[in-house]
Amino acid sequence: MKKIEHIGIAVRDLAKANALFAALLGREHYKVEEVVSEGVKTSFFEMGESKIELLAATGPDSPIARFLEKRGEGVHHIAFAVDDIRAEMRRLAEAGFQPLQEEPRLGADGKWVAFFHPKTTAGVLIELCQDREEA
Ligand code: ZN
């Protein structure tokens, strides 16, 4: 794994959270993107070579809606940039970490993504992501 690509934070109200994080970080978000397949609307802030990704649910069936219901707002996942997502998925699966899907899928920010279950990673949902051009 190369670096922390971003930290995902679940929020109830994306507009409010954008204003809050703009005040906190001293900069505006640089894009908003809806990932229809995941039921989320995301917003990104640049932080050096990493990012903050705010995640809001687009409907009651969204995984973010379920997360907010169970745990409230807060850190939702940590995403690590990788060069070869399939190789990293194999490596982690062989090490006993539980993948949430068999194949990488297209996530926000034009990346291939794959998630690992928090119960095998000390309670933190882990995302791997790889730039799409490299996949
Ligand atoms: Zn993410």
Side-chain angles (χ1 to χ4, degrees):
M1 301 200 196
K2 291 196 290 189
K3 63 169 185 176
I4 294 178
E5 213 285 332
H6 63 266
I7 295 175
I9 298 172
V11 302
R12 290 188 196 283
D13 182 324
L14 197 58
K16 267 190 201 160
N18 276 336
L20 187 153
F21 276 84
L24 179 73
L25 303 174
R27 73 194 66 185
E28 297 294 325
H29 66 280
Y30 66 92
K31 76 167 170 181
V32 170
E33 186 182 343
E34 185 169 342
V35 186
V36 175
S37 59
E38 306 283 338
V40 298
K41 200 164 177 187
T42 65
S43 161
F44 286 91
F45 292 80
E46 213 163 42
M47 288 301 299
E49 60 169 19
S50 301
K51 297 163 195 155
I52 300 289
E53 176 188 38
L54 303 181
L55 302 136
T58 54
D61 294 335
S62 163
I64 296 300
R66 292 197 294 273
F67 179 91
L68 288 167
E69 205 171 291
K70 259 202 286 192
R71 297 172 62 169
E73 291 187 308
V75 173
H76 177 262
H77 64 271
I78 298 178
F80 297 103
V82 300
D83 286 324
D84 184 341
I85 194 166
R86 288 172 195 278
E88 284 295 324
M89 287 174 76
R90 271 196 306 277
R91 186 180 71 81
L92 294 189
E94 280 163 16
F97 299 103
Q98 187 191 319
L100 287 175
Q101 67 286 296
E102 295 293 311
E103 292 290 322
R105 55 184 193 243
L106 279 176
D109 209 20
K111 295 185 187 304
W112 291 106
V113 301
F115 290 90
F116 282 80
H117 199 289
K119 81 178 178 198
T120 58
T121 53
V124 182
L125 178 64
I126 299 296
E127 176 183 352
L128 305 180
C129 55
Q130 178 185 351
D131 290 333
R132 206 189 307 193
E133 310 76 83
E134 299 163 21

